[in-house]
Amino acid sequence: MNDIPLASLSLTHVNYDPSDPISYLCAWLALAPQALCVIYVTLIWATREIEILLMFVGQLGSGIVNVALKRIIKEERPKRTEQAISFRSSQRSFQF
Protein backbone atom coordinates (compact mmCIF):
# COMPACT_ATOMS: atom_id res chain seq x y z
CA MET A 1 0.00 0.00 0.00
CA ASN A 2 1.04 3.59 -0.51
CA ASP A 3 2.49 5.40 2.45
CA ILE A 4 0.51 8.61 1.96
CA PRO A 5 0.64 10.87 5.02
CA LEU A 6 -2.88 11.08 6.41
CA ALA A 7 -4.45 14.08 8.09
CA SER A 8 -6.95 13.93 10.93
CA LEU A 9 -10.30 15.70 10.75
CA SER A 10 -10.16 18.12 13.67
CA LEU A 11 -13.67 17.26 14.86
CA THR A 12 -12.97 13.52 15.08
CA HIS A 13 -10.14 11.05 14.62
CA VAL A 14 -11.10 10.16 11.06
CA ASN A 15 -7.98 9.98 8.91
CA TYR A 16 -8.09 11.11 5.30
CA ASP A 17 -5.73 11.93 2.45
CA PRO A 18 -5.48 15.75 2.40
CA SER A 19 -4.61 15.83 -1.31
CA ASP A 20 -7.85 14.03 -2.29
CA PRO A 21 -11.09 16.06 -2.10
CA ILE A 22 -13.20 12.88 -2.19
CA SER A 23 -11.32 11.59 0.84
CA TYR A 24 -12.14 14.82 2.69
CA LEU A 25 -15.83 14.45 1.78
CA CYS A 26 -15.83 10.83 2.96
CA ALA A 27 -14.26 11.88 6.27
CA TRP A 28 -17.23 14.20 6.85
CA LEU A 29 -19.70 11.54 5.71
CA ALA A 30 -18.23 9.23 8.36
CA LEU A 31 -19.97 11.49 10.89
CA ALA A 32 -23.43 10.60 9.52
CA PRO A 33 -24.21 7.99 12.23
CA GLN A 34 -23.50 10.52 14.97
CA ALA A 35 -25.65 13.11 13.20
CA LEU A 36 -28.50 10.58 12.93
CA CYS A 37 -28.33 9.91 16.67
CA VAL A 38 -28.53 13.64 17.40
CA ILE A 39 -31.46 13.99 14.98
CA TYR A 40 -33.31 11.05 16.52
CA VAL A 41 -32.84 12.29 20.09
CA THR A 42 -33.94 15.80 19.08
CA LEU A 43 -37.06 14.48 17.35
CA ILE A 44 -37.92 12.17 20.25
CA TRP A 45 -37.54 15.00 22.75
CA ALA A 46 -39.42 17.57 20.66
CA THR A 47 -42.33 15.47 19.38
CA ARG A 48 -42.53 12.60 21.89
CA GLU A 49 -43.90 10.28 19.22
CA ILE A 50 -43.57 6.55 19.76
CA GLU A 51 -42.87 5.85 16.06
CA ILE A 52 -39.64 7.85 16.13
CA LEU A 53 -38.56 6.17 19.36
CA LEU A 54 -39.27 2.73 17.90
CA MET A 55 -37.28 3.54 14.75
CA PHE A 56 -34.33 4.71 16.84
CA VAL A 57 -34.47 1.65 19.12
CA GLY A 58 -34.80 -0.61 16.07
CA GLN A 59 -31.81 0.93 14.34
CA LEU A 60 -29.68 0.77 17.49
CA GLY A 61 -30.79 -2.79 18.19
CA SER A 62 -30.05 -3.84 14.63
CA GLY A 63 -26.54 -2.41 14.89
CA ILE A 64 -25.91 -4.09 18.24
CA VAL A 65 -27.10 -7.47 16.95
CA ASN A 66 -24.93 -7.01 13.85
CA VAL A 67 -21.78 -6.34 15.90
CA ALA A 68 -22.56 -9.19 18.32
CA LEU A 69 -23.10 -11.70 15.51
CA LYS A 70 -19.89 -10.63 13.77
CA ARG A 71 -17.92 -11.21 16.97
CA ILE A 72 -19.60 -14.55 17.68
CA ILE A 73 -19.47 -16.05 14.18
CA LYS A 74 -16.05 -14.71 13.00
CA GLU A 75 -16.39 -16.06 9.46
CA GLU A 76 -14.24 -14.93 6.58
CA ARG A 77 -16.02 -12.51 4.27
CA PRO A 78 -17.14 -13.99 0.96
CA LYS A 79 -15.54 -12.89 -2.28
CA ARG A 80 -17.44 -9.87 -3.57
CA THR A 81 -19.01 -10.04 -7.01
CA GLU A 82 -20.65 -7.29 -9.02
CA GLN A 83 -24.15 -8.63 -8.35
CA ALA A 84 -23.67 -9.01 -4.59
CA ILE A 85 -25.59 -6.76 -2.23
CA SER A 86 -23.83 -5.71 0.93
CA PHE A 87 -25.08 -7.11 4.21
CA ARG A 88 -25.62 -3.64 5.62
CA SER A 89 -27.93 -2.73 2.71
CA SER A 90 -29.96 -5.90 3.06
CA GLN A 91 -30.10 -5.41 6.83
CA ARG A 92 -31.49 -1.88 6.43
CA SER A 93 -34.14 -3.01 3.94
CA PHE A 94 -35.20 -5.81 6.31
CA GLN A 95 -35.53 -3.32 9.18
CA PHE A 96 -38.04 -1.22 7.25
Side-chain angles (χ1 to χ4, degrees):
M1 241 168 110
N2 297 339
D3 292 330
I4 300 172
L6 300 177
S8 179
L9 195 61
S10 61
L11 189 60
T12 63
H13 292 290
V14 176
N15 294 325
Y16 68 97
D17 180 5
S19 64
D20 185 10
I22 294 175
S23 177
Y24 183 72
L25 174 68
C26 289
W28 278 102
L29 287 176
L31 296 174
Q34 289 87 350
L36 280 176
C37 286
V38 170
I39 291 168
Y40 271 129
V41 170
T42 303
L43 284 172
I44 291 167
W45 183 66
T47 63
R48 292 179 175 85
E49 291 185 8
I50 192 72
E51 293 88 2
I52 298 170
L53 178 65
L54 290 175
M55 271 189 72
F56 185 48
V57 169
Q59 195 165 5
L60 282 178
S62 177
I64 290 169
V65 168
N66 186 18
V67 169
L69 287 175
K70 282 182 181 180
R71 290 187 181 188
I72 291 170
I73 296 172
K74 294 182 183 176
E75 284 288 322
E76 186 176 325
R77 294 186 60 87
K79 302 291 184 223
R80 188 167 174 96
T81 63
E82 290 182 19
Q83 293 90 9
I85 185 170
S86 70
F87 179 72
R88 185 171 296 253
S89 299
S90 61
Q91 180 185 9
R92 294 282 185 253
S93 62
F94 176 75
Q95 178 185 350
F96 289 112

